[in-house]
Amino acid sequence: MASHVGNPLNVYTGPDAVAQYYNPDLGPPVPLVEIPDKLNPYRKDGVRIYAKIMSCLPANNVKSLPGKALNMLEKCVKPNDTKTIIEYSSGSTVVSMSLIARAIHGVDDVRAFLSNKTTDAKLNMMRFFGLRITLFGGPSQPEPADPRGGIHRAQQMAAERDDTVNPNQYENIDNPKAHSRWTGPQLLKQLPHLNVLAAGLGTSGTLTGIGTYLKATKPSVHIVGVCTAPGDRVPGPRSHALLAPVQFPWKSSLDSLEEVGSYDSFSLSMALSREGLIVGPSSGFNLKGLFQFLEKRKQSNTLQDLAGEDGEIHCVFICCDLPYQYLNEYFTILGESAFHPIENEELKSVDLWRYDEAWELPLPAAVEKWYTELDTDYDSGLSDSDTSTPDSEKSESETTSFPKPRRQTVQIPSSSTHQLQRNTVLLDLRPQAEFQEWHLPGSCNFPLESFNDPMPTATESPFKDPKILAMRWRELEEVFNPNASARTPYSAALVAGLKSCSVGLVCRDGDTARVATSVLRAKGVEAWSLKGGAWGVGK
């Protein structure tokens, strides 16, 4: 295996930089990380367990490099002739193929054939990476030779078209050879004391390739194959029954076989991820298979037979991919009890529209935006810091030639000093009594019923109590919704009219008006709120 010594800083440059990045001979080894003792129930028995983090490969999964996609495409793509690549794959393999096909072979048209039972998260992931998707009914893991399945159809299409290839991970010997070429040698170089290896069986390429290499190089290593329990499903691996048609010599590459279910797979994957080793369910699947094997050896008093020259038992399990595309399945399989509850969960269905601080106007900006200042002299317009000469001390020319100086601080608008700008509407959301005590000139009282709710905090800021925010937002949605039956018979006309105006909103502390601004903006109304509300003005 080539060394990465020539690229110690892990930098790739030039026109073929991406192709270099995907070449395992030019990069560092994939990390091998010992799991925390708290996750290793056999640490006191002298067992050390390491995760081989294949998700640190460029495509974030075991199917990229060193693995299936690079080695298979290297052999089957014909330069200048191949225009389309087709593969039946549940996700990782064909995603890796699409990335490597573009980066190394210049092929953009990569098509995924897969089961109609594939989750939306996986489908969207593949579409994100530019794959063209064709769904097939029937079993999600069809037999390769079944003419009703997508594996056979991909082979058939490639046979019918000279410019199309189907790498066919299920039968292509370059699949396991990739792991004999890269993964196996890398493992022994990283961990010469390796005693046990655990890997899952899907197409069986990973285990077959590593196992073939280890049996030829260090036959003392015990190889554990892991398959899914009957009737259960874990993304990637197969059940023992579904391994029957797989043509790779996986049986001769392993020493023990374990069956693992989905609950343990997802649970251990989550436990690893929470401890900093972010891996998907097939990684937990492989670890559980290793645990089962070790427990059987412990119960039969043969565990120490696995130890090497240093007296310890060094075990490795393969971590195939990341958990993110399976997140919904974690909640379905493990149940809500495995996760912390969400505080204030009622807010998930309310307060749905965006906010912007630019929509909150301090008093000076609000006055400038909403009002035209009347050309009226007022003696009280001088600020306390004004030092201009009193009229009695000015000359006649000074008093007759210049107007009285205006106040330099913000003038709180009143009907005698300001009038609303044209096409401006001010809505005051406070109760009627507060509105009558003081309000901005030209504003309309539009009191909200939620202020009168018997809840103790009903009059406070909606951001202090999620129940208040939910109640107030729903009321504002109803009041300003032109498409629903609202409590005000003129809501449709009101919203339609507001769309042609600049709307200012006022409340006690500015927060309810802020929510109302968010609601109106979502409906296409140019709305603004008075920051700090009436209390901020000192009213």
Side-chain angles (χ1 to χ4, degrees):
M1 181 179 67
S3 171
H4 69 285
V5 173
N7 185 22
L9 297 180
N10 203 19
V11 176
Y12 309 88
T13 61
D16 63 342
V18 177
Q20 294 178 45
Y21 172 54
Y22 272 83
N23 186 340
D25 291 332
L26 300 178
V30 177
L32 188 67
V33 185
E34 185 169 8
I35 69 173
D37 287 352
K38 65 189 295 185
L39 296 181
N40 180 1
Y42 302 97
R43 186 66 189 92
K44 293 181 179 179
D45 299 304
V47 176
R48 304 183 70 170
I49 299 176
Y50 306 81
K52 182 65 170 171
I53 313 291
M54 305 300 282
S55 54
C56 286
L57 292 164
N60 297 135
N61 66 74
V62 71
K63 307 296 179 69
S64 57
L65 301 175
K68 301 177 178 180
L70 177 76
N71 220 39
M72 287 191 290
L73 293 182
E74 190 177 88
K75 302 294 177 64
C76 69
V77 171
K78 301 173 184 176
N80 303 319
D81 292 334
T82 299
K83 306 299 181 186
T84 300
I85 296 170
I86 301 175
E87 184 72 6
Y88 188 93
S89 167
S90 61
S92 294
T93 297
V94 75
V95 166
S96 299
M97 283 183 180
S98 71
L99 299 175
I100 293 164
R102 290 191 192 94
I104 297 177
H105 302 287
V107 178
D108 289 325
D109 185 11
V110 182
R111 308 183 184 188
F113 285 7
L114 65 160
S115 168
N116 64 334
K117 299 163 186 63
T118 305
T119 64
D120 286 340
K122 274 195 172 184
L123 293 175
N124 289 336
M125 178 191 70
M126 286 186 276
R127 295 172 68 194
F128 173 84
F129 284 108
L131 286 156
R132 295 175 61 178
I133 295 173
T134 301
L135 300 179
F136 289 81
S140 58
Q141 294 176 318
E143 293 189 10
D146 189 340
R148 299 166 295 181
I151 297 176
H152 183 269
R153 180 58 182 148
Q155 292 174 295
Q156 187 178 40
M157 284 188 65
E160 294 170 352
R161 304 179 185 181
D162 293 337
D163 65 351
T164 300
V165 298
N166 167 223
N168 190 3
Q169 60 177 315
Y170 303 93
E171 298 179 1
N172 193 325
I173 194 60
D174 289 315
N175 174 350
K177 278 186 176 180
H179 293 285
S180 296
R181 177 181 176 184
W182 284 303
T183 315
Q186 193 178 100
L187 271 172
L188 277 189
K189 187 174 181 179
Q190 290 175 308
L191 189 65
H193 298 307
L194 176 64
N195 305 118
V196 181
L197 172 79
L201 290 162
T203 63
S204 79
T206 301
L207 183 138
T208 300
I210 299 175
T212 299
Y213 176 82
L214 291 177
K215 287 193 174 299
T217 310
K218 189 178 181 182
S220 62
V221 176
H222 193 103
I223 299 174
V224 180
V226 190
C227 60
T228 57
D232 208 341
R233 191 189 77 85
V234 178
R238 292 176 168 232
S239 67
H240 188 263
L242 290 176
L243 285 169
V246 175
Q247 297 183 12
F248 301 137
W250 58 272
K251 291 182 180 179
S252 61
S253 301
L254 56 79
D255 301 295
S256 301
L257 187 65
E258 297 292 337
E259 293 181 338
V260 173
S262 57
Y263 185 89
D264 290 324
S265 303
F266 280 80
S267 179
L268 276 176
S269 161
M270 188 169 69
L272 288 163
S273 296
R274 288 179 174 181
E275 293 299 321
L277 299 175
I278 304 174
V279 295
S282 59
S283 305
F285 173 82
N286 293 337
L287 180 57
K288 180 61 177 179
L290 175 61
F291 283 169
Q292 290 179 183
F293 165 74
L294 293 173
E295 183 61 27
K296 290 177 182 176
R297 296 298 292 255
K298 184 175 180 178
Q299 295 300 321
S300 63
N301 295 317
T302 59
L303 183 59
Q304 271 313 115
D305 295 346
L306 299 168
E309 295 178 358
D310 63 354
E312 293 191 306
I313 304 167
H314 298 272
C315 307
V316 171
F317 68 101
I318 302 297
C319 296
C320 305
D321 62 3
L322 296 168
Y324 305 116
Q325 60 183 305
Y326 311 105
L327 285 182
N328 288 340
E329 293 174 77
Y330 282 89
F331 286 86
T332 300
I333 291 171
L334 301 181
E336 284 292 332
S337 61
F339 306 90
H340 294 299
I342 298 175
E343 298 293 334
N344 301 335
E345 191 170 11
E346 61 265 40
L347 295 184
K348 286 173 61 178
S349 61
V350 300
D351 194 30
L352 304 178
W353 318 129
R354 67 178 290 255
Y355 288 84
D356 194 321
E357 290 184 2
W359 303 339
E360 295 182 84
L361 302 178
L363 181 61
V367 171
E368 182 178 352
K369 184 166 192 64
W370 296 338
Y371 289 99
T372 298
E373 191 171 358
L374 297 174
D375 189 17
T376 303
D377 292 338
Y378 45 91
D379 294 333
S380 61
L382 299 177
S383 66
D384 294 338
S385 60
D386 192 285
T387 58
S388 57
T389 305
D391 285 355
S392 60
E393 298 179 21
K394 291 182 179 179
S395 66
E396 183 177 346
S397 61
E398 287 179 314
T399 56
T400 58
S401 301
F402 300 98
K404 292 180 180 180
R406 293 287 185 182
R407 172 197 293 264
Q408 300 301 308
T409 55
V410 178
Q411 174 71 20
I412 297 177
S414 68
S415 57
S416 62
T417 61
H418 296 78
Q419 67 179 12
L420 282 179
Q421 296 271 15
R422 189 175 180 182
N423 293 329
T424 295
V425 175
L426 295 188
L427 300 180
D428 193 316
L429 308 177
R430 297 176 297 159
Q432 186 177 27
E434 295 180 31
F435 178 81
Q436 290 176 343
E437 183 178 339
W438 175 86
H439 57 268
L440 287 172
S443 59
C444 304
N445 192 203
F446 201 79
L448 298 179
E449 291 182 354
S450 55
F451 279 115
N452 301 318
D453 191 275
M455 190 182 303
T457 57
T459 59
E460 294 187 8
S461 165
F463 298 110
K464 290 184 178 179
D465 187 332
K467 293 182 175 59
I468 296 302
L469 177 56
M471 178 174 63
R472 202 150 295 162
W473 186 85
R474 289 192 179 103
E475 181 181 7
L476 289 165
E477 272 290 303
E478 180 186 12
V479 167
F480 293 125
N481 188 352
N483 301 315
S485 176
R487 69 174 176 85
T488 52
Y490 49 85
S491 283
L494 172 66
V495 175
L498 293 180
K499 285 186 177 181
S500 62
C501 303
S502 176
V503 179
L505 293 146
V506 180
C507 68
R508 289 173 173 171
D509 56 8
D511 287 346
T512 296
R514 184 185 186 214
V515 178
T517 298
S518 172
V519 170
L520 283 172
R521 286 273 180 170
K523 300 180 186 338
V525 177
E526 181 194 313
W528 313 83
S529 64
L530 178 62
K531 190 171 185 178
W535 290 347
V537 183
K539 301 296 181 180

